Amino acid sequence: MPSKSNRILTMSHAIAEGIANEMRTDSSVFVMGEDIAAYGGIFGATTGLLAEFGEQRIRDTPISETAFIGAGVGAAMAGMRPIVELMFVDFFGVCMDAIYNLAAKNIYFSGGNCKVPLVIMTATGGGYSDAGQHSQTLHATFAHMPGLKVAVPSNAYDAKGLMISAIRDDSPVLYMFHKGLQGLAWMASPEKAATEVPDDAYAIPLGEAKVVRPGKDATIVTLSMMVHRSMEAAEQLAKDGIDVEVVDLRTLVPLDRATVFKSVAKTGRLIVVDEDYSSFGVTAEIITSVVERDPSVLKAKPRRLAFPDIPIPYSRPMEQFALPNAEKITEAVRETVKKGH
Amino acid sequence: MPEGLWDTSKTPEGIVGNWFYRDGSMVEAGAKVAELMVEKTVFDITAPAAGELHILVPKDGIVRPGTLIGRIDGA
């Protein structure tokens, strides 16, 4: 177990510290990306690393995701453990060939003879009026591709432990952090996203969901920012005597279907909340995980709450109208509990 | 907060971006206890002594050079 600490870190500092812990003990770990060195990453995920490790290992790149993510795949196959930052997940279009035709497939295409220990770190999420090309989460786009692992932390403690596991993993890992959880001074962040974080290195295994609130009446399965919105809803519902269990998936690939099923088997009611687009997404996959195994555990029809199938609006009132929030989650749980039998 | 940390003729004020310890926590000398944000530049504030931290300017509170943002009572 890591040593106890009373120090509170934001998620951005926790990610940077996880990277630093691994860089101190493994000389093959290095970081590349746009504005990740001198600036420390526009969402703070590489803060302080240049000063400690220097420009050979913390490398600012030109604005060409095609080049530096491709270079990351090659470096990983040549024995390094690169971390590359795709500044906004929305920019994946220009480097998707490197991600899904190279990184995700080369272990398989080499008959397991090549490893691809690459971490692609990327910022997700909206809610701050940054419009349709800077606000998506795209969880399902990447979780859908065989060969990629996908980590999606909701708080600082998990962010550090998942980053360390991602670096140590011999497969490519897409590490998706929500901008609004980073604890940046210029962007509002839920208070509980910053947590106590031990100084030492510790790993949280990829593929283990966490019950962040136990309850007996209904299960909310969620991830990333929506963990915080769901916890707000759960607190509101508790005042009316509705006891909600909240499951934080933490990773999408591997997906911890067992923890989801166990929770729904206990409560009999399932609401899935995701900031990604609704159709063909995480919400459908989670519901399927339950009904495919045993639909008889459900006392009410399962529900999903996600972003409507539209590009994310720039206008603040329009974006806020479309985003899932605590009020909508509260309503969905009430409907599910009421109509159960 | 030190005088001359940033050019106040251009940017008179900053904010407390984050506290890294809760009010009343024990901190060690030299520990990074807070960060200040001035436009998009971050300045680390380290504990000048060991002891119990008392926060005087909360997160998002406005600061100028010379502002007392917290007090550490020696253990």
Side-chain angles (χ1 to χ4, degrees), chain A residues 219-237:
Chain A
T219 296
I220 298 175
V221 176
T222 186
L223 70 166
S224 189
M225 177 62 88
M226 289 301 140
V227 172
H228 299 272
R229 302 289 181 251
S230 298
M231 291 296 281
E232 288 169 43
E235 283 165 29
Q236 188 61 40
L237 288 157

Side-chain angles (χ1 to χ4, degrees), chain A residues 285-305:
Chain A
E285 187 62 34
I286 295 299
I287 290 169
T288 302
S289 299
V290 173
V291 297
E292 210 167 45
R293 183 160 163 189
D294 183 2
S296 72
V297 298
L298 288 166
K299 297 176 192 163
K301 67 175 183 175
R303 277 169 200 272
R304 59 175 158 183
L305 194 50

Side-chain angles (χ1 to χ4, degrees), chain B residues 8-30:
Chain B
T8 50
S9 67
K10 289 183 181 149
T11 311
E13 295 175 339
I15 63 165
V16 176
N18 279 297
W19 281 101
F20 295 113
Y21 292 85
R22 291 196 179 90
D23 191 45
S25 295
M26 298 305 292
V27 299
E28 291 173 16

Side-chain angles (χ1 to χ4, degrees), chain A residues 44-90:
Chain A
T46 52
T47 300
L49 297 180
L50 177 64
E52 179 173 352
F53 299 104
E55 62 188 17
Q56 286 295 308
R57 297 182 72 191
I58 306 295
R59 305 173 72 98
D60 270 330
T61 64
I63 304 177
S64 176
E65 292 82 1
T66 314
F68 74 79
I69 292 184
V73 179
M77 294 181 71
M80 302 297 281
R81 290 190 176 275
I83 300 161
V84 293
E85 182 172 283
L86 174 61
M87 187 184 275
F88 288 75
V89 73
D90 315 69

